[in-house]
Each structure stands twice: as structure tokens, then as C-alpha cells.
Amino acid sequence: MATNLLPTREPAYVSEPQAPRSVNALRDVWHGQDVYVLASGASLGYVPMSFWRGRRTIGVNQVPAHAQCDVVVATHHEDVRDAVARVARGEAERLVAPETDCGLMGRENLLPDWVYRFEHYPHVHDGHLDLDVLEKPGWLLLCSLTTVTAINLAYVMGARAIVLCGHDEGRIDGQINVPGYNGGNGTKASHLCMTHHLLQSLADAIRQRGVSVVSLNPWVNFGLEGHVYERIPPV
């Protein structure tokens, strides 16, 4: 069943002829630069919006509602629909998405031509990533954690270092997500429990290839300036 994401206009920044685009066209466009991958965890809300000005940013799913993003990565049809609208309004420059809803065969997203598509293996829920994708032009990892796809994209785009923000894997002052994320329908704790190993395995693989993968602390130290962090342990 196809999810129709049209009609929409092509973003104003686009000058190339309209044609389906491969994510391979973005290879090394940010070569040697630090790239920030923004997830929806509560810590994102403690970073001033002004911090992102002039930085290369990739936002996950509906994060562009909460932080400035150059590129949006979305995989679920609702998040893709939201991202299509935001890019068309000029709130982000580019959208990267799969042609299938969450990578599930038989559930297609009908994407505007200006969306950057990628090849992928069948959706991984809580298994193991096929890390050979890192060497396959036009391919990205796709699993139940969209942050994995975004980190893979940062690597493809030539990042010198990948800096995560908002991938907290826990609660800050009792909150998992930045306030108001997805209309209050935020990430479930059970989801975080099951996906820890996916991000860790990707981070290890990218580090072995000479690219740093670190996380941004929006406070002056790990005392969190009085905020309380509660980790959600992996299963």
C-alpha cells in the first residue's frame, strides 16, 4: 500500500532538473567537517537554537520542529510526510528517505522527485546491522532507530567527526523527549531498551574507519547543573 506524499512544491534551493535522486549524490559534500546528528531526546531542548547556526546538522524525523537542520532523515511514513512539508516550506534544505515505509517491502512512500533516496537491506528491528553497507555507494543502514540512518548519512557526507545530540538513552528530569516532540507522542522506553546495540555497533565501525563519534553535553559538566538523568538500561 502506497503512502502518497504529494502534492508539494520543489524547495526553492533546488536548481537541478527534477529527477529521482540517489543519496550517493551527497557523498563527501561535507568532507572534513564536523556534522551534528540531532535526535529527539530531552537534552536537545537544553541547547540554544543559536548554537546550530553555521554548523552542519542532520535532524532525525520531526526534530526540525525543535532545532535548525540542514538535512532531515525520516523513515516512517508519518515522519516522512512531516519532513516533506518542512522542506517544501524552506525549514530544511534536503530530505533523505527510503521509498518504502520504514523499509518494509510492499509499503511504499510516493516521494517527490527532489527527495534523496537510498538502497537498503530489509528493515532490522532488533537484530544486527549489515555494516558492509558503509562501503556500498547509494546505500544506507535502515533499522528501527532512525538515528542509525542519520549517522550513516553523516559518514557518507564525509564527516570528520560525528557529534550526537539528543540521543540520551534515558530520561532527564523524567522526560525522554524534547518537550512537545511529535505532539507529545514520544519515544517509548521499551524502544530505547531494544536499540542500544544498534547504535553502538555502528559507532564502533565508524570509529574504526577513522571518524570520531561523540555526544554533545549541553551543560558545563556531567553534574548536569542539577538536572537528574535516569538511564534506561539496554536489554
Side-chain angles (χ1 to χ4, degrees):
M1 179 178 179
T3 302
N4 194 343
L5 302 172
L6 298 172
T8 186
R9 67 177 179 85
E10 186 171 5
Y13 81 89
V14 173
S15 58
E16 306 96 324
Q18 291 192 26
R21 298 174 187 176
S22 167
V23 74
N24 198 47
L26 301 177
R27 179 169 294 275
D28 287 332
V29 298
W30 289 344
H31 179 74
Q33 301 182 59
D34 296 338
V35 177
Y36 291 76
V37 172
L38 313 185
S40 64
S43 66
L44 178 67
Y46 294 92
V47 181
M49 287 289 286
S50 60
F51 180 83
W52 306 118
R53 296 190 194 120
R55 304 182 193 274
R56 300 301 193 183
T57 53
I58 299 174
V60 172
N61 295 327
Q62 298 186 32
V63 162
H66 305 275
Q68 178 181 317
C69 301
D70 298 315
V71 179
V72 188
V73 175
T75 59
H76 187 274
H77 71 270
E78 292 180 356
D79 296 321
V80 173
R81 185 189 302 276
D82 180 82
V84 165
R86 292 186 185 282
V87 175
R89 292 195 300 264
E91 297 176 15
E93 293 184 5
R94 294 177 173 87
L95 168 60
V96 173
E99 292 194 81
T100 54
D101 179 17
C102 295
L104 300 172
M105 302 305 164
R107 292 169 52 177
E108 295 182 353
N109 290 322
L110 300 180
L111 302 171
D113 288 337
W114 47 263
V115 174
Y116 291 84
R117 298 149 167 81
F118 59 91
E119 301 291 332
H120 56 84
Y121 288 124
H123 175 96
V124 174
H125 179 58
D126 57 359
H128 297 283
L129 300 175
D130 293 298
L131 294 169
D132 64 300
V133 165
L134 294 175
E135 318 304 334
K136 293 170 72 74
W139 286 60
L140 293 176
L141 293 161
L142 193 151
C143 63
S144 53
L145 186 64
T146 308
T147 304
V148 162
T149 307
I151 293 171
N152 190 170
L153 176 63
Y155 175 75
V156 167
M157 295 177 79
R160 175 185 66 173
I162 299 170
V163 185
L164 304 180
C165 182
H167 188 74
D168 302 338
E169 292 196 353
R171 299 179 177 88
I172 297 174
D173 296 340
Q175 301 299 312
I176 290 179
N177 293 107
V178 62
Y181 182 76
N182 193 23
N185 298 313
T187 308
K188 294 180 172 58
S190 58
H191 179 72
L192 295 178
C193 289
M194 298 175 64
T195 56
H196 168 83
H197 68 288
L198 298 173
L199 188 142
Q200 188 65 60
S201 64
L202 175 59
D204 291 344
I206 290 178
R207 288 166 175 164
Q208 290 169 6
R209 289 162 169 80
V211 177
S212 298
V213 182
V214 298
S215 195
L216 176 69
N217 180 353
W219 296 284
V220 295
N221 55 39
F222 288 114
L224 309 187
E225 300 179 26
H227 296 280
V228 177
Y229 175 74
E230 174 195 356
R231 190 183 186 213
I232 297 173
V235 295

